[in-house]
Amino acid sequence: MSANDLRHQESDTLGPHAGIAAAANVSGMDAYRALVAEAERDYEGFWAGRARAMLDWHKPFSKVLDESNAPFYTWFEDGELNASYNCLDRHVERSDGSRTAIIFEADDGAVTAVSYAELLARVCRFANALKAYGVGKGDRVVVYMPMSIEAVVAMQACTRIGAIHSVVFGGFSAKSLNERIADLGAVALVTADEQMRGGRPLPLKGIADEALGMGHCDSVQHVFVYRRTGARIGWNSPRDVWMHEAMAAQSTQCEPQWLGAEHPLFVLYTSGSTGKPKGVQHAAAGYLLWAAQTMHWTFDLKQNDVFWCTADIGWITGHTYIAYGPLLCGATQILFEGVPVYPDAGRFWRMIERHRVSLFYTAPTAIRALIKASHENPDTHPGRFDLSTLRVIGTAGEPINPQVWQWYYEHVGNDRCAVVDTWWQTETGGQLIAPLPGATPLVPGACTLPLPGICAAVVDETGQAVPHGHGGLLVVTRPWPAMLRTVWADPERFRKTYFPAELGGATYLAGDGAMRDAHTGYFTITGRIDDVLNVSGHRLGTMAIESALVAHPGVAEAAVVGCPDALTGEAIVAFVVWKSARPEGVFAAQMAAELCAWVASEIGPIAKPKEIRFGDNLPKTRSGKIMRRLLRALANGEPITQDVSTLENAAVLEQLGLPR
Ligand code: WTA
């Protein structure tokens, strides 16, 4: 089916997925429009109703939205609840708790499952252990863990006692981990001896020790270690504690700490346009409400579904759609330790078949890699597997181009599943713009329409709405419950970055460009408007990579730009000025390799440039500003259209790679 065919069906409220619409949680566009209208009519009433329906409150709220201190909004402020109670206890209390919460498939294919009752018992044991080691309400706990049930236990245990978790992706370097621990003043770190990925063990505890040895980490009292592989690791007694030993000593009962709705649930760092990552801080109730609500709406979650989100727990998608959303809804979910291409690129499809997955959520970058692999080895093509259990298949984290969307729709969804392209961010807490499987007619490459209650718009630099069919800035004009509350320890940065004065100071600026279709009003995301790159769905600030490069003793200056890449979406190209003579030939290749390894150790392997070019200088304007647009053209091998008459040293362009 082509994009045009789909477009023609827009008037048909069943869209191209009639089978799904009939039984959907939101069935047909009229039902969607009714929800949108309900929110427009009574914004606070709409959200209050959802908050009562989705969450169990220890103390009911009487206030809904407080806008008096904009943009520091609060939601349901005088209500009290506990996140882990909502994710676990309430399901166990209402049934016998025997329902499977998590089916864990290890890198080597071994499967372990835990029921809700068992998960609750483990969370209580670890919550008690944290308390026994002095961790309490408001303390920060950094989690540097492999994909594991234990990672979920660690996060949930923190929420049970009111500690604030901050998960650091296991692929980040010691330096990145150190910076986050220091920024938070964390009292504890939860890690593992090693992690298994693609048949290889990779260190975690060793990196954690290195991070803690880099200074500014005196706040850390204890390091809890999950034994994953049994590898020999360094041990620092009494600081280091085995997670299983600490848990064995504790009871399986732990009264949840009742917390105000606005109590911080977690901090998750993400890249911005300055060198320093931002600690995005979320509040408990609003975030949880939206995690649960979007499970119902975007994934059309039902009682018998098996849900699988392939994201890593270290990113927001792994928070909202692994650690919280599915558990809040009492769903059964798959948790996968490994990588999509091990032992071969049929791994995802084999797992969907094996576990009878019905709702699947992954990243465009994984789909692109698997398309390529299926051409190389037809045995890994999804058509070789029984994917008939699938109903909704989603993507997030980066634009999905129409061809890739089409392949996903045809070969994974067998022309009968709803493809939900979901737009959202670490800051938004959950999906904001996405189709509803039983309502929204689909168009490849468009994330379609805002979810009910979300006031998304496209505006110009002054905040004026731009007409459909024209590009502009993606904004959200009214606060929503799952929005970030602040940037950890930096409220001014929060205000300036997300609520700029030019837009009036109360409109959320997403940092993405967008355009609405002239005919349907559907949103399409056109890419970032700031110096943030999206490489394989990972957000990376160019400034952070530049600072890492400049920290190398041989580097005088560096500039980083993105260029389109068929596999990773965007790739990093770095332009470097060497302190001594410009490296050439073999030496240049050696230095480029060394700089890649350097960036990996400064930030993490995900930030390695794809290409490094050396020049005697960087192209700059008279005022000394690096001409990034010119560098972007050079990286893409495009002809130079900019005025370069102001360039001091035009020969630099040749060195940095004029189109060949
Ligand atoms: C991009 C990931 C196009 C966007 C959930 C955003 C998308 C950034 C989409 C957030 C989508 C996310 N289509 N682009 N469906 N979803 N993005 O914080 O640039 O890791 O600002 O959150 O990813 O990345 P983050």
Side-chain angles (χ1 to χ4, degrees):
M1 198 180 311
S2 73
N4 270 344
D5 292 336
L6 286 161
R7 215 171 285 242
H8 286 143
Q9 296 184 20
E10 271 154 18
S11 53
D12 177 358
T13 52
L14 296 180
H17 37 270
I20 298 169
N25 293 338
V26 180
S27 184
M29 281 306 268
D30 287 345
Y32 164 76
R33 286 192 202 99
L35 285 165
V36 172
E38 186 191 330
E40 264 167 25
R41 229 178 11 251
D42 176 10
Y43 196 64
E44 293 197 18
F46 172 83
W47 286 115
R50 311 251 62 98
R52 289 189 194 104
M54 288 294 143
L55 302 173
D56 279 24
W57 294 85
H58 178 70
K59 176 175 168 251
F61 54 88
S62 66
K63 285 194 290 188
V64 183
L65 167 63
D66 184 349
E67 301 184 82
S68 59
N69 192 23
F72 298 92
Y73 303 103
T74 62
W75 286 90
F76 319 115
E77 200 181 355
D78 60 348
E80 281 179 18
L81 79 184
N82 178 275
S84 87
Y85 176 86
N86 274 278
C87 290
L88 303 168
D89 304 58
R90 62 172 174 167
H91 308 308
V92 177
E93 283 166 14
R94 281 169 206 168
S95 65
D96 60 354
S98 63
R99 183 178 170 119
T100 301
I102 300 177
I103 299 169
F104 174 72
E105 183 165 317
D107 191 55
D108 66 3
V111 168
T112 0
V114 281
S115 67
Y116 272 90
E118 170 63 21
L119 189 59
L120 172 60
R122 286 203 210 174
V123 168
C124 286
R125 280 187 193 274
F126 194 54
N128 285 328
L130 287 172
K131 283 201 280 191
Y133 283 94
V135 181
K137 181 178 166 186
D139 287 341
R140 278 79 61 204
V141 175
V142 169
V143 175
Y144 187 60
M145 297 272 277
M147 288 290 281
S148 54
I149 293 171
E150 285 68 17
V152 176
V153 168
M155 294 163 81
Q156 287 283 343
C158 287
T159 75
R160 197 160 189 91
I161 63 170
I164 303 164
H165 64 67
S166 187
V167 183
V168 177
F169 173 56
F172 274 123
S173 68
K175 182 135 186 282
S176 296
L177 179 59
N178 169 273
E179 281 166 5
R180 286 156 174 76
I181 294 171
D183 194 47
L184 289 163
V187 302
L189 175 64
V190 189
T191 187
D193 51 0
E194 292 184 312
Q195 57 180 333
M196 289 299 299
R197 286 176 77 76
R200 284 192 312 145
L202 297 169
L204 279 175
K205 174 65 161 60
I207 297 174
D209 284 341
E210 203 188 324
L212 293 173
M214 289 174 154
H216 312 292
C217 292
D218 293 345
S219 55
V220 176
Q221 300 294 307
H222 291 288
V223 178
F224 296 92
V225 187
Y226 159 51
R227 185 184 270 157
R228 169 61 186 92
T229 63
R232 281 177 65 90
I233 50 170
W235 201 258
N236 179 339
S237 225
R239 184 197 73 185
D240 297 349
V241 180
W242 284 111
M243 195 171 168
H244 61 272
E245 286 179 4
M247 285 168 71
Q250 298 296 331
S251 150
T252 57
Q253 315 268 315
C254 173
E255 184 62 21
Q257 166 102 43
W258 302 111
L259 300 159
E262 283 291 316
H263 183 73
L265 186 66
F266 64 83
V267 174
L268 182 59
Y269 284 83
T270 190
S271 301
S273 43
T274 74
K276 197 171 166 270
K278 291 175 286 203
V280 169
Q281 183 179 321
H282 279 286
Y287 170 86
L288 296 169
L289 149 63
W290 199 230
Q293 184 66 71
T294 49
M295 288 297 299
H296 276 276
W297 279 345
T298 316
F299 294 114
D300 193 38
L301 180 77
K302 306 269 175 41
Q303 189 59 35
N304 294 324
D305 276 317
V306 176
F307 179 79
W308 181 18
C309 166
T310 69
D312 194 280
I313 211 115
W315 308 115
I316 191 68
T317 311
H319 280 59
T320 310
Y321 299 107
I322 296 177
Y324 291 105
L327 298 177
L328 282 163
C329 298
T332 296
Q333 70 171 320
I334 309 299
L335 183 58
F336 176 43
E337 178 179 40
V339 296
V341 292
Y342 177 82
D344 63 40
R347 183 69 184 263
F348 276 3
W349 323 132
R350 198 173 299 114
M351 283 181 63
I352 290 170
E353 178 179 284
R354 181 181 190 184
H355 301 295
R356 306 188 60 73
V357 172
S358 51
L359 313 174
F360 180 64
Y361 196 31
T362 196
T365 199
I367 305 171
R368 288 191 298 262
L370 298 180
I371 293 174
K372 183 161 178 273
S374 74
H375 292 319
E376 286 155 11
N377 175 7
D379 285 343
T380 67
H381 191 278
R384 298 287 170 99
F385 301 86
D386 177 6
L387 307 182
S388 60
T389 49
L390 288 174
R391 188 170 85 254
V392 179
I393 55 178
T395 67
E398 41 173 341
I400 178 165
N401 66 26
Q403 295 80 352
V404 174
W405 191 103
Q406 202 68 47
W407 186 91
Y408 195 40
Y409 181 79
E410 281 174 24
H411 299 287
V412 180
N414 271 310
D415 292 328
R416 42 161 206 86
C417 292
V419 173
V420 289
D421 170 7
T422 62
W423 176 85
W424 60 298
Q425 310 175 293
T426 305
E427 294 86 342
T428 69
Q431 302 150 346
L432 293 198
I433 308 182
L436 301 182
T440 321
L442 304 171
V443 171
C447 49
T448 74
L449 296 169
L451 292 172
I454 301 301
C455 304
V458 182
V459 301
D460 65 17
E461 277 81 18
T462 65
Q464 294 302 306
V466 300
H468 291 191
H470 294 264
L473 311 173
L474 181 58
V475 296
V476 187
T477 57
R478 295 193 80 169
W480 67 103
M483 67 195 299
L484 80 164
R485 294 302 192 263
T486 188
V487 169
W488 180 262
D490 201 346
E492 254 329 282
R493 192 171 176 196
F494 164 76
R495 184 202 291 274
K496 282 198 187 123
T497 311
Y498 300 109
F499 297 91
E502 303 82 68
L503 298 183
T507 288
Y508 174 78
L509 177 68
D512 280 318
M515 185 160 81
R516 301 191 69 170
D517 183 85
H519 175 54
T520 58
Y522 279 10
F523 286 75
T524 298
I525 307 301
T526 53
R528 297 284 308 185
I529 54 162
D530 53 10
D531 292 326
V532 171
L533 306 182
N534 194 327
V535 181
S536 298
H538 303 319
R539 258 169 87 167
L540 295 162
T542 52
M543 276 272 278
I545 306 169
E546 286 165 6
S547 318
L549 284 166
V550 174
H552 185 280
V555 174
E557 232 185 330
V560 162
V561 299
C563 78
D565 182 280
L567 223 49
T568 59
E570 236 178 337
I572 301 164
V573 179
F575 297 90
V576 170
V577 181
W578 205 245
K579 276 186 184 155
S580 44
R582 173 167 55 90
E584 287 182 279
V586 181
F587 184 58
Q590 281 173 354
M591 287 310 101
E594 182 177 318
L595 286 179
C596 281
W598 174 267
V599 172
S601 73
E602 288 282 300
I603 302 174
I606 52 171
K608 275 193 213 172
K610 181 187 174 189
E611 207 188 322
I612 295 182
R613 302 184 189 178
F614 296 98
D616 290 333
N617 207 339
L618 296 175
K620 290 187 192 141
T621 61
R622 282 234 170 92
S623 59
K625 240 180 119 200
I626 295 172
M627 298 170 78
R628 282 173 191 282
R629 276 205 300 143
L630 192 111
L631 289 176
R632 239 171 260 137
L634 289 175
N636 290 311
E638 288 164 4
I640 307 295
T641 52
Q642 290 93 332
D643 176 13
V644 291
S645 57
T646 57
L647 263 185
E648 278 181 30
N649 178 3
V652 155
L653 293 187
E654 217 155 303
Q655 293 164 3
L656 295 175
L658 272 174
R660 279 168 285 263

